[in-house]
Amino acid sequence: MIPHSRTASLLALGALGAICLTGCSSDERPVQKLKPLALKEQVSNIVKSADGYAVNWAGVLTNANPWHFGEHVVATIVGHDAKGTEVVRLDQPLDAVPPGGSLAFTGQAGAAEKPARVTIQYRPAQWRPAARIASAFQRFPITRSQTLPQKDGSYLITGYVGNPYQLSAGSLVVNALLRDKAGKLLGGGSTFVDDVKAGSPPRFILTVSGLPRGAQVARTEITARTWGSTGRPYEELALAGAIPVHTATPTSEPFAVDRSTQIVSEYKQ
C-alpha cells in the first residue's frame, strides 16, 4: 500500500510533467515562414522625347508561396545620371501576385535629364492566405495573338483574352513581354480589357516602343490578370468555379465489360 504522502508527491510530479510537455509542445510548434517575392527579371530602356526623355521598364515578380497572395506591392523605379544624381523616381503600385505564380509589370515615366542607370526595387508584400489551392487560379487564355513590327521601331501587339471562369471578370490587365532568341527580356507594354465574359473574348491592342536599336524580337509572352492591389477579384472568380472543359455528352457506346471491375475481381480470386 502506497502512503498518502508519497501518492500526493507522485500526483504533483505528474501534473508538473504534463505542464512541461504542454509548454514544450507549444514552443516547438513549427511556424510557417513565407518566402519574400523575387524580382526574377527587369529591363529598362530610355528614348528621347519631346520634353526630355522617356524611361520604359518591364519586370517579373515571382511568388514561391503556394498558399498566399502577395498584396499591396509597390515597385520603386529610380534613375541616376552619369554623376550619380537622381533624375527620376516613381512609385508604381502593382497588382496582387497569385499563390505560386508570377506577375509581369511594365511602366513609363518622363525625365528632364537622361538617366545613365535605372533600377527597380519593391516594398515587401503583405501576405494573405488564399481560399483555394494554387491550381484553382487558372490562367486567362490568350488566343490569335500577333506581334507586328512598325516603321518607327515599335511593335503593335493584338489578340484576344478569354475567361475560364463562370463569373465575368470586371477588368483584366494584359501584359506583353518581348524577348530575343536567347530569351532575354527586351521590353514590354500593357493595356486593359473590361467585362470579360466566358465564351466571348474581347480583343486587345497595345504598343511597345523604346526598344534598344537593333533589338531582334523573337518571342512575345502575353499574360492577363485581375486588376487591383489585392487578390480578392481573382479569388472570387476561382470560388465561383471554372467552366467545364468537356460539356458534350459522349456519343460512343459504353464498354461491354468494365475492365477495371474485372481486374479487381480476378485479383480477389
Side-chain angles (χ1 to χ4, degrees):
M1 182 175 181
I2 301 175
H4 176 73
S5 58
R6 184 173 296 179
T7 303
S9 300
L10 291 173
L11 291 174
L13 289 173
L16 289 173
I19 293 173
C20 180
L21 289 174
T22 303
C24 293
S25 61
S26 61
D27 291 340
E28 295 176 358
R29 184 176 300 170
V31 178
Q32 185 179 13
K33 293 183 179 180
L34 298 176
K35 298 179 181 178
L37 296 176
L39 185 58
K40 182 180 178 182
E41 296 176 281
Q42 62 173 307
V43 68
S44 60
N45 299 301
I46 303 165
V47 295
K48 191 73 175 67
S49 63
D51 54 352
Y53 295 89
V55 182
N56 304 292
W57 63 84
V60 179
L61 277 173
T62 58
N63 179 7
N65 303 293
W67 299 101
H68 290 75
F69 275 99
E71 301 182 333
H72 303 289
V73 184
V74 178
T76 301
I77 293 83
V78 182
H80 295 86
D81 62 14
K83 297 180 180 180
T85 304
E86 184 178 297
V87 294
V88 62
R89 173 180 286 269
L90 178 72
D91 288 336
Q92 180 186 13
L94 301 180
D95 300 315
V97 189
S102 62
L103 173 75
F105 63 94
T106 67
Q108 179 176 312
E113 302 293 333
K114 183 178 181 179
R117 181 171 57 91
V118 178
T119 59
I120 302 177
Q121 301 176 345
Y122 65 92
R123 300 174 191 171
Q126 297 180 22
W127 299 105
R128 184 176 63 82
R132 298 291 302 274
I133 60 176
S135 60
F137 299 98
Q138 299 185 26
R139 294 186 176 184
F140 298 92
I142 304 297
T143 57
R144 293 177 282 173
S145 62
Q146 289 183 308
T147 301
L148 306 172
Q150 306 299 299
K151 293 182 179 180
D152 61 355
S154 64
Y155 286 84
L156 181 67
I157 301 167
T158 66
Y160 294 81
V161 56
N163 180 4
Y165 299 102
Q166 297 187 25
L167 286 182
S168 298
S171 184
L172 296 179
V173 186
V174 180
N175 277 283
L177 300 181
L178 304 184
R179 300 181 181 276
D180 63 12
K181 291 182 179 180
K184 181 182 178 181
L185 181 61
L186 299 174
S190 61
T191 189
F192 290 86
V193 290
D194 297 322
D195 193 23
V196 184
K197 297 182 176 65
S200 57
R203 189 186 186 205
F204 64 86
I205 302 175
L206 63 92
T207 301
V208 178
S209 58
L211 296 184
R213 182 173 297 180
Q216 298 293 326
V217 175
R219 180 163 52 96
T220 304
E221 291 181 1
I222 305 174
T223 57
R225 66 175 186 274
T226 54
W227 178 79
S229 60
T230 74
R232 294 292 185 186
Y234 206 173
E235 205 167 48
E236 290 175 0
L237 292 174
L239 288 172
I243 299 295
V245 178
H246 302 289
T247 57
T249 304
T251 57
S252 60
E253 293 293 330
F255 292 113
V257 177
D258 187 343
R259 290 186 58 82
S260 61
T261 305
Q262 181 180 4
I263 293 173
V264 171
S265 300
E266 292 176 355
Y267 176 76
K268 288 181 178 181
Q269 293 176 2

